[in-house]
Amino acid sequence: MNPWEVTQGPQSKQSEWARQQGYLFSTAEWGHVLEGLGCRVLFAWNKQLAAGVVVPIFMRGPFKVAFLGFPIAGEAFDLLEPDAFEQLEAELVEVMRCSLVRGVRSRICELKGQVVTALPEVWIDDLKVWFGQRSKRLVKDLAFAARAVANLTIVSQAGDAMTSHSLYEQTIRGHGGKVRYTQEYFQRLKALCERDGLVKGVSCLNARDRTVGFAYAARHGGVVYYLHGAVDAEVRSQGVGDLLLHRLVEWAHQTNARSFSLMASPKDQPGLLQYKKKWGDRVGYTTTHDVGYGAVGRSFVWLSAKANEFLGERCARKKQKNK
């Protein structure tokens, strides 16, 4: 018997489980934020695991792609062996009959199974231990930043949504990336932040009270995940990013979360990975696993794998060229 129950809205047992255990990414409120990306949202409850996920569905050309949780499924799924995780995907795609189900696992230490992509991920494994053992470099950088931002104000509130999106867009385009998150998404994320204790926004204001930096994190189970952040180029050298991130890590510790993930880093941004290593004490992978439905879905999985293989080779050539 298939263990998945897929519904238009969350079942009461999923809502109760998500709230009692602090799984933000499995709630209807998070589904509403994701709808700001233009996707359709369903809810899936797994009877065997007694755990649920939000399932956003995106159109990729003629293909319908469903995510088993977004941006990640969460601890209940990360702890599974890869073959068991992929079996859950296969069972979900049978119920949904979409082109593809994509699952993302976080804080993976060993690569096993049919991994489509594996991006480096840095995290703080034990927040209680970490606060007593911060690196000398981080302590020094935070002290510098505290002195350098005398003309700025760090506040424990989300910044203006439209300005935050503009900073995010500038940062992504500056690295040659694709802008995936919309203004509507940022507006909904800020609104959720103002009424839900499982998501936190912090910001930096200049003397004119304009948002010149922002960052968001969210708690999902025992882990807090860094979601988004960007700083205006004019104040970036003052260490604003360090102060914003530190404020989020402090918040995570105050909520009694066990770990803090800085999430995956693109392979073509080694500088970003090194920056995250200044903060985290563990390095592993964020892994993506795809399962297609029918001949069309399997073709899409094959095409996605080939595209990722090509991008990986291009990134390797670029690194070799820059040596």
Side-chain angles (χ1 to χ4, degrees), residues 212-253:
V212 293
F214 78 94
Y216 283 100
R219 179 165 177 173
H220 189 58
V223 183
V224 168
Y225 298 88
Y226 181 85
L227 294 178
H228 309 287
V231 176
D232 192 298
E234 292 186 2
V235 300
R236 199 171 295 153
S237 63
Q238 296 174 244
V240 171
D242 280 334
L243 295 179
L244 292 174
L245 181 52
H246 192 254
R247 191 70 66 93
L248 289 179
V249 175
E250 286 182 322
W251 169 77
H253 186 236

Side-chain angles (χ1 to χ4, degrees), residues 235-306:
V235 300
R236 199 171 295 153
S237 63
Q238 296 174 244
V240 171
D242 280 334
L243 295 179
L244 292 174
L245 181 52
H246 192 254
R247 191 70 66 93
L248 289 179
V249 175
E250 286 182 322
W251 169 77
H253 186 236
Q254 292 164 3
T255 68
N256 294 317
R258 295 188 306 276
S259 301
F260 187 100
S261 171
L262 289 103
M263 303 294 276
S265 299
K267 291 182 178 179
D268 60 353
Q269 293 185 35
L272 178 60
L273 179 61
Q274 291 305 312
Y275 173 78
K276 291 180 178 181
K277 287 181 177 179
K278 178 178 74 172
W279 289 85
D281 52 21
R282 294 288 296 277
V283 181
Y285 302 95
T286 296
T287 59
T288 302
H289 306 254
D290 289 349
V291 174
Y293 179 77
V296 173
R298 288 191 291 271
S299 297
F300 185 59
V301 171
W302 183 85
L303 289 170
S304 296
K306 287 298 180 181

Side-chain angles (χ1 to χ4, degrees), residues 47 97 152 155 160 163 190 197 204 219 257 275 290 299-300:
K47 293 174 286 187
R97 298 182 178 240
L152 303 171
V155 295
D160 177 74
T163 306
K190 182 179 187 294
C204 178
R219 179 165 177 173
Y275 173 78
D290 289 349
S299 297
F300 185 59

Side-chain angles (χ1 to χ4, degrees), residues 59-278:
M59 295 303 299
R60 297 287 186 264
F63 302 105
K64 189 181 294 185
V65 180
F67 282 78
L68 198 165
F70 191 94
I72 48 87
E75 296 171 282
F77 300 89
D78 293 342
L79 295 172
L80 297 171
E81 288 295 319
D83 57 346
F85 182 77
E86 289 157 13
Q87 178 62 33
L88 287 181
E89 288 185 289
E91 291 166 340
L92 182 58
V93 82
E94 285 291 331
V95 174
M96 300 191 63
R97 298 182 178 240
C98 54
S99 307
L100 173 81
V101 165
R102 172 164 291 170
V104 179
R105 300 171 71 226
S106 174
R107 300 180 301 133
I108 303 302
C109 296
E110 183 180 0
L111 293 179
K112 297 188 293 184
Q114 300 298 315
V115 176
V116 176
T117 61
L119 297 176
E121 178 182 358
V122 179
W123 66 92
I124 298 169
D125 196 51
D126 188 322
L127 284 166
K128 291 181 179 179
V129 172
W130 181 85
F131 267 94
Q133 300 179 355
R134 291 178 296 176
S135 70
K136 291 181 179 179
R137 179 192 170 193
L138 178 57
V139 172
K140 180 180 178 181
D141 288 352
L142 288 170
F144 162 80
R147 295 190 301 269
V149 298
N151 60 330
L152 303 171
T153 305
I154 305 294
V155 295
S156 294
Q157 295 178 347
D160 177 74
M162 300 301 284
T163 306
S164 296
H165 181 268
S166 179
L167 290 171
Y168 152 77
E169 185 175 12
Q170 291 170 22
T171 301
I172 295 299
R173 294 194 187 282
H175 288 93
K178 182 177 181 180
V179 176
R180 301 181 184 277
Y181 293 89
T182 63
Q183 292 179 348
E184 178 65 24
Y185 167 87
F186 268 81
Q187 289 175 328
R188 295 185 184 204
L189 179 61
K190 182 179 187 294
L192 180 63
C193 184
E194 293 171 347
R195 65 177 186 271
D196 196 308
L198 292 177
V199 60
K200 181 67 175 177
V202 295
S203 55
C204 178
L205 306 178
N206 64 12
R208 301 185 300 277
D209 285 337
R210 176 180 174 273
T211 300
V212 293
F214 78 94
Y216 283 100
R219 179 165 177 173
H220 189 58
V223 183
V224 168
Y225 298 88
Y226 181 85
L227 294 178
H228 309 287
V231 176
D232 192 298
E234 292 186 2
V235 300
R236 199 171 295 153
S237 63
Q238 296 174 244
V240 171
D242 280 334
L243 295 179
L244 292 174
L245 181 52
H246 192 254
R247 191 70 66 93
L248 289 179
V249 175
E250 286 182 322
W251 169 77
H253 186 236
Q254 292 164 3
T255 68
N256 294 317
R258 295 188 306 276
S259 301
F260 187 100
S261 171
L262 289 103
M263 303 294 276
S265 299
K267 291 182 178 179
D268 60 353
Q269 293 185 35
L272 178 60
L273 179 61
Q274 291 305 312
Y275 173 78
K276 291 180 178 181
K277 287 181 177 179
K278 178 178 74 172

Side-chain angles (χ1 to χ4, degrees), residues 1 39 233 298:
M1 180 180 293
C39 62
R298 288 191 291 271

